[in-house]
Amino acid sequence: MPTHYLWLPLATFCVAVLATWAAIHYAIRRQLIDQPGERRSHSVSTPRGGGIGIVVSQLFACGVLALLYPAFAAGLAVFALGLLMVAGIGWWDDHRPLPALPRLLVHLLAALLLGLLVWQASHDPLKAVICVVLGVSLINIWNFMDGINGLASSQAILVGVGAAVLLPGSYALAGLVIAAGCLGFLPFNFPRARIFMGDVGSGALGYLMAGLLALGLVVTDLALPLWLMLPSVFLIDAGFTLLSRMLKGERWMQPHTQHVYQMLVKREWSHAVVTTCYAFFTLGAITLATLFSGLSPDWGWVGGVVWMVVGTGTWIFLRMHLIK
């Protein structure tokens, strides 16, 4: 195993720790503070914007990977540009809230960059379109699901580890450095939050997750549902909550507390317990995806679809009991 498989994730972790520590002091100095409220799941005033630590660590990793693998330098530069766009609009929104439309436009442009990378690498327009949709969706899904301590970052760690298991050869480094960067942020946010991720971090994490899935679709023959299993708990909770709000005619873009994880917290489940339960669900998804990855693509479709059906049934069951 090349030595950079070890020192690069470690260096990425250290960069994330230092950058997050600096972000806490910056947020306090600039009074970037999230106050408790009816539509929030925390009860203590807490600085926000700590996700910039993850972003800085991933930009560092992209730079190092470009030096280690010059053939991929151009693609890494384009991906880093998309990451900067998503993180930049989130950073702006953390300082001065923006309307939804300009944020969505930036998300779409960044997702288009990801789609262009996939098209250039695979020459498959369908995969490119899928990755554009994944980009826009996961950016916003990670933002929606970043509501309690440790949830968004722990899920990103697990998706990164799962991707590292499924990706071949040196491509696994992509999952490892993302997991390492999030791990550097996690102690500042879990179990007690010294700082929140903010839109700068949650949107960027969604883009990073989309990048991992896009990489998997390009460099492996695994079925799409197997890759979707990795972030499936977020896809299900955010997707079906959004759908239920739209069907009710509610203003679905407004903040709310209707996700299952938020309902559990309102039922006095601790943040740590809810985050851990979601982690176990994702660990199950990673385990099954790994098992099915050794079978034919047809079985990959079967395994992924069955997992999604089971997850959806679990979501419906929990919602029915939590709404009572």
Side-chain angles (χ1 to χ4, degrees), residues 22-318:
I24 293 174
H25 294 274
Y26 173 84
I28 293 173
R29 187 170 65 251
R30 292 292 302 270
Q31 287 298 296
L32 299 177
I33 308 294
D34 272 354
Q35 303 294 341
E38 181 183 350
R39 293 175 176 173
R40 300 184 183 273
S41 299
H42 65 280
S43 57
V44 178
S45 299
T46 306
R48 67 176 179 272
I52 189 67
I54 299 173
V55 175
V56 171
S57 76
Q58 297 311 298
L59 293 174
F60 162 80
C62 283
V64 174
L65 287 170
L67 294 175
L68 291 171
Y69 302 98
F72 298 102
L76 285 164
V78 173
F79 182 74
L81 175 60
L83 179 61
L84 273 173
M85 291 169 62
V86 175
I89 199 70
W91 182 253
W92 189 346
D93 196 46
D94 284 334
H95 286 72
R96 184 174 297 177
L98 293 168
L101 183 58
R103 287 186 282 121
L104 285 173
L105 286 175
V106 172
H107 297 167
L108 178 58
L109 287 174
L112 285 171
L113 287 179
L114 181 62
L116 287 172
L117 285 174
V118 171
W119 193 359
Q120 185 273 330
S122 68
H123 307 292
D124 187 333
L126 178 58
K127 284 185 178 180
V129 171
I130 289 171
C131 291
V132 171
V133 174
L134 279 174
V136 175
S137 300
L138 289 176
I139 289 168
N140 288 280
I141 284 172
W142 241 263
N143 182 269
F144 296 154
M145 299 298 289
D146 178 33
I148 62 173
N149 299 349
L151 183 59
S153 52
S154 65
Q155 284 297 310
I157 291 169
L158 291 171
V159 173
V161 171
V165 172
L166 297 178
L167 288 167
S170 58
Y171 293 110
L173 265 176
L176 293 178
V177 296
I178 289 175
C182 295
L183 189 60
F185 167 81
L186 187 62
F188 297 96
N189 185 249
F190 182 83
R192 183 180 69 86
R194 294 170 56 191
I195 192 167
F196 292 150
M197 187 176 291
D199 287 348
V200 62
S202 59
L205 270 188
Y207 191 72
L208 289 166
M209 298 300 100
L212 279 180
L213 300 191
L215 181 61
L217 290 176
V218 170
V219 303
T220 75
D221 295 323
L222 298 180
L224 173 62
L226 279 187
W227 290 106
L228 295 181
M229 285 174 69
L230 302 183
S232 58
V233 70
F234 273 18
L235 292 175
I236 291 167
D237 197 1
F240 283 105
T241 301
L242 176 62
L243 179 61
S244 68
R245 285 173 58 80
M246 294 174 71
L247 291 175
K248 293 176 184 175
E250 298 177 359
R251 301 180 66 180
W252 52 272
M253 287 297 293
Q254 285 192 339
H256 60 85
T257 56
Q258 295 182 27
H259 294 292
V260 164
Y261 80 89
Q262 293 168 319
M263 291 182 172
L264 291 170
V265 170
K266 286 164 67 174
R267 289 293 186 96
E268 299 187 351
W269 288 42
S270 71
H271 289 205
V273 170
V274 175
T275 295
T276 301
C277 288
Y278 274 60
F280 275 113
F281 185 92
T282 300
L283 284 170
I286 292 170
T287 302
L288 287 177
T290 303
L291 292 174
F292 276 95
S293 68
L295 305 176
S296 69
D298 289 342
W299 278 109
W301 277 91
V302 171
V305 170
V306 168
W307 178 261
M308 289 295 187
V309 170
V310 170
T312 300
T314 303
W315 181 88
I316 293 171
F317 174 81
L318 288 171

